[in-house]
Amino acid sequence: MSKPVLIGQSVLLGRLSAPLRDHPRRALAAVAAAGVLVSTLLLPWAMPLGWDELVYATRFPSYADGLDVEFSAPRTRGVPLLLAPVALWSDSVVLLRLWLTLLWSAALYLGFLPWLRVLRPNVVVVAAACYTGIWSVLFYLAQAMPNHYTAMGTLAAVGCLARRTRTPLSYAGIVTGLAMATLMRPNDGVWAALPLLAAVLVVPAWRSRATAAAVAGGVAAGLGPWIVEAQLRFGSVAHRLSEASEVQGGLRPVFALPWHIAALDGRLLCRPCGADAVTLQGVSLWLLLIPLAGLGVWAAGRSWPGGVTGGAGDAGDAGDAGDAGSTEGAGDTGDTDASAVARALRLAALTAACTAAPYFFLVPYAAPRFLFPAYALLALPAALGLLYLRDAVRLSRSRTRGLLVSRVAGLLAAAVLTAYAVGQLLLVQGHGRIQEQGRLDWERVARVLHEQGVRTPCTLGSDSSRVPLAYTAGCQPTKGRQPDAYVLRHHEAPGWARDWPRFPVPDAYGKGWSVLVRPGSRQP
């Protein structure tokens, strides 16, 4: 390749990367906005609240409407706290989803923001894009679920701890991040804190009593409400843990890794996924994320053109973090100390492994959203690995002998990444359509119940989606033996209801819906 062409490419790349280099916070906000845009285009906005969402939303009278839904031992008060600004005064599902969209964006921005002081801006922005591009992350963007907020809290805490020079704001970030993660999902917060405490004890650059106190204080702040509720509602922490384990099918040593692999393209909840086939479309996430993360950890401690220690290419002067600016000098960005960057990425990878481990080896079921904290943390070294490959291809293009190979490699990489991105978008759209149609079945079931005289006040049992069906029909959900009606889908009728009149649900999206009505329970 001629020298003038190389110079022209460098100038063009420099101009394109200038906004990222000079205004990394704006670039990070743009990633969050892009995620919102994609989710809005691909997913239905007015999708009814799902089972878990109803459990959280019905803590508020505006959504409960007299419905008594059990708040079981594994549930925490974190998500209701997120819903409160809207749920305290409105029962609008659209307004709630709009609020959750704003919260999702703010959490994404704040979760990756501390890493602008640890890694180069381009690495952080690419990492945020990698995390946002996962189909399950986009799918849950506007939903009342805790996992994204757990992920962003953990990510922010690790980023604040990994800074070479910590300030009072850094300690506050550690406390706040871990408190949010633990408040949302106590088990995730505790598991995330373990490698952080180990790092504080083992790594001299991070060793300090203040840092250890911040980690412990953050977890304690998040666990506090859970512990108080355990004492007041369940009698003791031990009893709540026992009941939570029972609700979740008995926490015990298991090998759930195959179930998580099968769940990579859905279902949204597998108990377990043993019969589900593994697809390339789903497993491509791990096939790209894990090797790239390993490559990024390896490359972080080495000098390479455009790498973390400076050099050629558009990353050469990225040390001025622009409006991410450093009040502590360029050293705090990590650009002049590859070992600091390597330490930070190793800590991110170790924390990712610790947050994923209990779901792989203790929880007897799988769901794609359980791994959000691991995905967010692994996105950082994966982004560095991706940029390393990009710079390696650029370097080979400058050598005549490597021109053909670099072009083939570049085209192959572009094809793989494009196929992956298209696959993720198709999964988002597909699951959005499935969930929308599946949740519309609840209205179809409610219509049959009302036609058969089952109206408020009433009790309803079911072998599937019991809480959403009861909520939609205006009944109380029950596991009792004599509800006013029982909805079937997957199983045969219970023995005590086999003689009840049975009514099919017409035009249902899912197969097998039918309604059993207890004799004498019909209202005029």
Side-chain angles (χ1 to χ4, degrees):
M1 185 177 293
S2 66
K3 189 174 181 179
V5 173
L6 285 172
I7 294 174
Q9 284 188 346
S10 298
V11 171
L12 177 60
L13 289 169
R15 289 179 178 176
L16 292 175
S17 62
L20 171 58
R21 183 181 65 246
D22 298 335
H23 304 287
R25 292 185 180 184
R26 296 181 188 177
L28 200 55
V31 171
V36 170
L37 178 62
V38 172
S39 177
T40 303
L41 292 175
L42 296 181
L43 294 172
W45 254 86
M47 188 160 58
L49 298 177
W51 185 323
D52 292 291
E53 293 181 294
L54 283 171
V55 172
Y56 296 125
T58 51
R59 300 307 98 196
F60 302 93
S62 56
Y63 286 92
D65 194 24
L67 186 69
D68 183 19
V69 178
E70 179 187 8
F71 202 75
S72 60
R75 306 282 183 184
T76 68
R77 303 291 170 172
V79 174
L81 185 63
L82 295 178
L83 304 183
V86 170
L88 283 172
W89 59 275
S90 172
D91 64 352
S92 169
V93 173
V94 173
L95 187 60
L96 188 65
R97 297 218 180 277
L98 177 60
W99 169 245
L100 289 170
T101 297
L102 296 175
L103 282 182
W104 183 94
S105 304
L108 181 79
Y109 178 82
L110 294 174
F112 281 95
L113 184 64
W115 287 91
L116 291 175
R117 296 291 188 90
V118 181
L119 305 174
R120 294 222 173 193
N122 57 347
V123 176
V124 179
V125 174
V126 170
C130 289
Y131 172 76
T132 303
I134 298 173
W135 77 264
S136 48
V137 172
L138 287 172
F139 176 83
Y140 285 106
L141 186 148
Q143 298 200 32
M145 303 296 276
N147 310 86
H148 172 68
Y149 305 95
T150 299
M152 293 301 102
T154 303
L155 183 69
V158 177
C160 289
L161 189 150
R163 290 182 59 172
R164 293 178 62 199
T165 305
R166 284 178 293 281
T167 66
L169 190 60
S170 302
Y171 296 119
I174 295 171
V175 173
T176 304
L178 284 176
M180 182 172 74
T182 310
L183 182 64
M184 295 294 158
R185 292 184 72 85
N187 55 316
D188 284 5
V190 171
W191 279 95
L194 295 179
L196 301 188
L197 287 173
V200 171
L201 294 174
V202 172
V203 180
W206 294 333
R207 190 177 299 155
S208 77
R209 293 181 180 178
T211 306
V215 173
V219 173
L223 277 179
W226 185 90
I227 292 173
V228 170
E229 186 177 19
Q231 293 294 134
L232 296 178
R233 287 188 58 214
F234 300 94
S236 68
V237 170
H239 190 265
R240 183 172 189 176
L241 287 172
S242 175
E243 189 169 325
S245 174
E246 183 180 348
V247 170
Q248 296 177 89
L251 301 183
R252 59 191 185 276
V254 295
F255 186 63
L257 184 61
W259 306 337
H260 283 277
I261 294 174
L264 284 171
D265 65 347
R267 296 174 283 160
L268 299 182
L269 183 65
C270 301
R271 289 183 180 261
C273 282
D276 288 27
V278 177
T279 68
L280 180 60
Q281 186 182 24
V283 81
S284 61
L285 170 60
W286 286 13
L287 293 178
L288 287 174
L289 181 65
I290 295 175
L292 284 174
L295 178 62
V297 171
W298 174 85
R302 287 159 177 80
S303 177
W304 41 277
V308 293
T309 56
D314 63 340
D317 55 351
D320 325 278
D323 78 1
S326 173
T327 60
E328 300 160 1
D332 193 42
T333 67
D335 293 318
T336 59
D337 189 352
S339 63
V341 173
R343 276 198 309 270
L345 292 183
R346 284 196 295 267
L347 178 61
L350 178 60
T351 308
C354 285
T355 60
Y359 293 109
F360 290 160
F361 304 115
L362 291 177
V363 179
Y365 58 96
R369 59 187 174 86
F370 291 167
L371 301 181
F372 283 4
Y375 292 155
L377 290 160
L378 288 178
L380 293 161
L384 185 61
L386 189 61
L387 294 174
Y388 174 84
L389 290 178
R390 179 204 65 177
D391 289 340
V393 170
R394 282 187 192 171
L395 181 62
S396 66
R397 283 180 179 174
S398 66
R399 301 170 182 171
T400 305
R401 293 180 181 178
L403 182 59
L404 178 60
V405 175
S406 67
R407 284 183 175 176
V408 172
L411 290 173
L412 180 60
V416 170
L417 292 175
T418 300
Y420 166 77
V422 171
Q424 296 295 299
L425 294 177
L426 289 175
L427 285 172
V428 174
Q429 187 178 43
H431 282 288
R433 178 182 55 81
I434 291 170
Q435 288 297 310
E436 181 183 32
Q437 292 299 319
R439 296 181 190 191
L440 287 176
D441 277 352
W442 303 338
E443 297 180 5
R444 298 179 180 107
V445 170
R447 192 179 307 118
V448 172
L449 287 167
H450 295 160
E451 290 172 354
Q452 300 305 320
V454 180
R455 301 184 183 90
T456 305
C458 52
T459 56
L460 183 70
S462 179
D463 67 352
S464 176
S465 305
R466 176 171 48 88
V467 169
L469 287 170
Y471 180 83
T472 306
C475 298
Q476 292 292 342
T478 179
K479 297 179 181 179
R481 293 173 57 86
Q482 293 294 320
D484 294 313
Y486 193 89
V487 180
L488 291 175
R489 185 181 180 191
H490 297 300
H491 305 290
E492 292 297 323
W496 42 265
R498 287 176 183 169
D499 295 332
W500 294 4
R502 185 167 184 164
F503 305 92
V505 178
D507 304 321
Y509 175 75
K511 296 180 180 179
W513 287 110
S514 60
V515 171
L516 304 176
V517 179
R518 179 170 58 85
S521 64
R522 297 187 182 188
Q523 301 178 33

